[in-house]
Amino acid sequence: IGRRLGIKSTTEIDEMLSLFHELGMVLHFTGTDSLRQIIVVKPQWLINKVGCVIKDSDVHDYPMSLEKSGLKEDLNTFLHSGIASVDLLHHLWDNEQCEFLMDLLRQMLIMSDWKFNNETKMLIPSVIKNEHVFDARIEADSNVCVFDFSSSFLPLGVFERLVCLIVQHSSSSSGTEPLIARNFSQISLPKRNGITIMLVNEPKLQRFKLVVLESENSDLAFDIVASMLRKIVSEAMHNRLDFSVLFKSREDQKGMIEYNEAKRQKLKPWFRDEPDAKNSSASGNKDNEAISDVINVDLTTFMEYLDKLD
């Protein structure tokens, strides 16, 4: 189109594509080189492709051809655990632009790589239906951080995107396989000597909890999860979602303490004694700036930033 109209500058073509994307005339994503190479001129095509994978199986059937292709077991695993084999995805997408579609879902924080047990699969948490019954006794003997959205609301997909980011971070070291359910995740982070965290989704209360089993790692676990949440709010919610943060320390059973007060008290183990700006901007208020530089970078750079945290 550009050449036909005499537009030869790459910058002008990029500006044209950006404008057409904003107007909804085409879809052009620039998060990675592979995405940048594809221009979707029929948005309904993309909607249909995503809908081939992410749908309510109680309402919409998956194709009968899966059984003939030997992928019936792969489908059952996917519907139970959200973990899809690459072969299953290729089949559902009719082997059409599969790398582009997988890359796009990663960038949208809907899918993450699942690299455990010497396998490479894909995790899509939004299709999981089974729920985990969380043992409240674990929380009573652990350090707990609450991300509270009750001042606004907790949209569908925020918790699932957070799980995607944490699994992507965890799978970079091929560590212990996470436990993933619709409302719960237990994941080992590849930091220090290993950090085991639990995420408990409580949508009726418009909040979710971060539970850290090892006290000495609570500060780093919070840095990682809070940074990921801010990334999601920036990328998926366009910074239009506020939340507050509250803490409970296993050593101090006074109840939940609001973020600013916990920071002032240097509440252990969430805050370090030494001067450190890392914790200074983790809550969801718009005036937080300490991690803004990494929130606004591409996903690859953001994940590299998380790898360097310690």
Side-chain angles (χ1 to χ4, degrees):
I1 296 174
R3 284 194 297 269
R4 190 169 70 242
L5 297 176
I7 302 175
K8 299 180 180 180
S9 167
T10 302
T11 301
E12 288 183 315
I13 291 176
D14 288 342
E15 290 176 352
M16 175 190 70
L17 289 172
S18 177
L19 175 61
F20 287 172
H21 179 88
E22 290 181 12
L23 294 174
M25 299 172 64
V26 302
L27 295 176
H28 184 231
F29 304 96
T30 59
T32 66
D33 289 337
S34 62
L35 291 179
R36 200 173 290 113
Q37 301 302 314
I38 302 292
I39 301 169
V40 180
V41 296
K42 295 181 179 179
Q44 188 62 46
W45 171 86
L46 182 57
I47 294 171
N48 292 342
K49 288 296 183 183
V50 174
C52 287
V53 175
I54 304 174
K55 56 186 174 182
D56 187 343
S57 59
D58 292 335
V59 179
H60 304 284
D61 293 330
Y62 285 86
M64 297 294 294
S65 58
L66 286 168
E67 191 163 358
K68 296 180 181 179
S69 302
L71 294 170
K72 183 68 173 179
E73 185 175 340
D74 289 33
L75 176 63
N76 291 336
T77 299
F78 175 55
L79 295 178
H80 175 74
S81 66
I83 301 169
S85 67
V86 174
D87 288 342
L88 175 63
L89 295 175
H90 278 240
H91 184 90
L92 293 174
W93 288 327
D94 296 323
N95 291 307
E96 184 181 10
Q97 299 293 350
C98 297
E99 294 304 318
F100 165 78
L101 291 167
M102 286 192 286
D103 209 7
L104 177 60
L105 293 183
R106 287 191 195 97
Q107 292 295 311
M108 296 175 68
L109 310 179
I110 295 174
M111 170 190 287
S112 64
D113 294 294
W114 184 271
K115 297 180 179 179
F116 302 97
N117 298 325
N118 297 316
E119 295 180 316
T120 298
K121 296 184 178 182
M122 300 294 163
L123 172 69
I124 305 178
S126 58
V127 305
I128 302 174
K129 293 185 177 181
N130 64 300
E131 296 201 351
H132 176 84
V133 179
F134 179 63
D135 189 344
R137 291 173 296 180
I138 297 176
E139 179 179 338
D141 196 37
S142 302
N143 300 296
V144 180
C145 170
V146 173
F147 296 91
D148 184 5
F149 297 81
S150 60
S151 62
S152 52
F153 72 107
L154 176 57
L156 291 174
V158 171
F159 182 79
E160 291 80 2
R161 284 180 165 92
L162 181 59
V163 170
C164 272
L165 279 176
I166 297 177
V167 168
Q168 186 75 31
H169 180 55
S170 176
S171 67
S172 64
S173 67
S174 299
T176 304
E177 182 172 305
L179 170 63
I180 308 293
R182 183 179 182 88
N183 64 325
F184 175 85
S185 297
Q186 180 173 319
I187 305 174
S188 295
L189 302 179
K191 297 293 183 182
R192 298 174 182 168
N193 293 321
I195 305 175
T196 302
I197 67 169
M198 297 179 180
L199 292 172
V200 184
N201 193 17
E202 298 179 332
K204 292 183 179 179
L205 298 176
Q206 299 290 296
R207 70 185 190 184
F208 56 79
K209 298 176 182 177
L210 165 65
V211 180
V212 186
L213 300 187
E214 304 93 355
S215 290
E216 65 275 13
N217 294 324
S218 297
D219 59 331
L220 181 55
F222 173 66
D223 283 343
I224 292 172
V225 173
S227 296
M228 288 178 174
L229 183 55
R230 288 296 306 274
K231 179 68 171 174
I232 293 167
V233 170
S234 173
E235 294 284 328
M237 304 297 159
H238 306 289
N239 290 315
R240 296 175 181 173
L241 183 64
D242 292 329
F243 60 91
S244 57
V245 180
L246 303 100
F247 299 97
K248 179 180 78 71
S249 170
R250 184 169 60 187
E251 289 76 19
D252 186 350
Q253 297 294 328
K254 294 180 180 179
M256 304 304 296
I257 301 177
E258 190 269 341
Y259 174 84
N260 288 329
E261 178 62 21
K263 177 187 171 184
R264 187 190 68 79
Q265 294 181 15
K266 295 183 178 179
L267 181 68
K268 295 181 179 180
W270 298 104
F271 294 88
R272 302 187 182 102
D273 290 329
E274 66 271 23
D276 192 338
K278 285 173 65 178
N279 293 112
S280 62
S281 292
S283 71
N285 300 324
K286 295 179 181 179
D287 60 349
N288 296 320
E289 299 176 354
I291 61 174
S292 60
D293 289 342
V294 295
I295 293 303
N296 296 318
V297 300
D298 63 85
L299 184 59
T300 300
T301 305
F302 177 73
M303 298 308 290
E304 290 173 350
Y305 156 77
L306 294 180
D307 288 339
K308 295 176 183 177
L309 283 180
D310 200 354

